[in-house]
């Protein structure tokens, strides 16, 4: 298949940097998810494929899978629509006083993918002004939770009135599988 090539551990799909090879698996943006690419990677190259949002944007903007700062993946958690409206868009201290700690069962993941930065302020701007493909929520707001994660674990950050507050927030595994299952 001339439309698919692997060069220097980069997966090219008709000239576009669709993903990369990492530890014996192919990490590919769901933007390119199709039978031709899946078949090439699994049958011809013998790779397992992980469809990860944000991969194309990061690589196209000069990011790399193997140099520069280690970037974590990002999940954005927002309160479910049926949640009490009084819990939405309130500061952390107010939430604690009225409802207690943020309850993961009241949240849903609206994005799961790679991003270009681990900086929370930059992520706040990105998820307000330039929603990445696959983002299914409203603009990032007070009461949302930003999760940064990698193989070593997760850190959770409540969007507060001024900045972020690191919190304990352990979501269930089923809810965390949003990203790789999304099709574009």
């Amino acid at each position: 298949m001339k439309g698919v090539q692997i060069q220097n551990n980069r997966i090219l799909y008709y000239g576009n940097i669709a993903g990369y090879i990492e530890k014996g698996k192919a990490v590919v943006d769901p933007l390119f998810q199709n039978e031709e690419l899946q078949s090439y990677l699994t049958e011809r190259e013998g790779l397992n494929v992980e469809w990860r949002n944000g991969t194309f944007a990061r690589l196209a903007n000069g990011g790399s899978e193997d140099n520069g700062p280690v970037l974590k993946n990002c999940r954005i958690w927002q309160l479910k629509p049926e949640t009490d409206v009084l819990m939405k868009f309130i500061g952390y201290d107010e939430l604690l006083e009225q409802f207690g700690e943020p309850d993961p069962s009241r949240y849903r993941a609206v994005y799961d993918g790679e991003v270009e930065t681990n900086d929370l302020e930059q992520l706040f701007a990105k998820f307000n002004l330039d929603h990445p493909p696959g983002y299914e929520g409203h603009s990032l707001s007070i009461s949302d939770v930003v999760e940064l994660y990698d193989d070593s674990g997760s850190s959770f950050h409540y969007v507060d009135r001024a900045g972020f507050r690191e919190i304990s927030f352990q979501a269930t595994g089923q809810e965390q599988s949003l990203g790789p299952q999304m099709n574009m």
Side-chain angles (χ1 to χ4, degrees):
M1 289 177 230
K2 293 186 182 231
V4 183
Q5 298 176 347
I6 297 178
Q7 296 176 355
N8 299 323
N9 285 332
R10 297 290 177 101
I11 300 165
L12 302 176
Y13 186 71
Y14 292 93
N16 295 293
I17 302 172
Y20 56 91
I21 308 298
E22 174 186 73
K23 299 177 186 170
K25 72 178 174 184
V27 178
V28 186
D29 197 297
L31 179 66
F32 299 96
Q33 190 169 2
N34 64 60
E35 190 174 314
E36 176 187 23
L37 184 55
Q38 175 83 35
S39 174
Y40 180 90
L41 294 171
T42 57
E43 295 171 18
R44 181 165 175 202
E45 297 295 326
L47 298 166
N48 291 324
V49 180
E50 178 182 334
W51 303 100
R52 192 182 297 168
N53 281 313
T55 302
F56 172 72
R58 185 167 59 87
L59 294 174
N61 288 326
S64 173
E65 70 283 355
D66 59 3
N67 64 20
V70 176
L71 294 177
K72 296 186 175 197
N73 289 322
C74 177
R75 282 191 193 98
I76 303 296
W77 296 90
Q78 294 180 341
L79 288 163
K80 295 176 181 175
E82 65 272 10
T83 301
D84 183 348
V85 71
L86 296 175
M87 293 183 76
K88 297 180 180 185
F89 312 111
I90 62 174
Y92 186 73
D93 291 335
E94 190 178 353
L95 177 76
L96 284 179
E97 186 179 301
Q98 295 179 21
F99 302 99
E101 292 283 335
D103 180 355
S105 69
R106 295 182 180 185
Y107 284 79
R108 65 185 178 104
V110 295
Y111 180 78
D112 186 355
E114 292 187 343
V115 289
E116 303 85 26
T117 182
N118 291 336
D119 182 87
L120 293 169
E121 294 297 333
Q122 289 179 12
L123 290 172
F124 184 82
K126 175 164 198 63
F127 288 100
N128 269 290
L129 305 172
D130 184 25
H131 296 170
Y135 187 66
E136 298 177 347
H138 56 73
S139 291
L140 198 61
S141 303
I142 296 173
S143 77
D144 295 342
V145 175
V146 176
E147 175 186 4
L148 296 174
Y149 69 96
D150 59 17
D151 293 340
S152 65
S154 294
S155 62
F156 298 93
H157 309 272
Y158 186 90
V159 181
D160 208 353
R161 293 197 181 281
F164 295 83
R165 187 86 61 99
E166 189 162 358
I167 61 170
S168 296
F169 184 91
Q170 193 54 48
T172 64
Q174 181 181 11
E175 291 171 318
Q176 290 185 357
S177 65
L178 173 72
Q181 295 177 359
M182 291 176 31
N183 293 321
M184 308 278 306

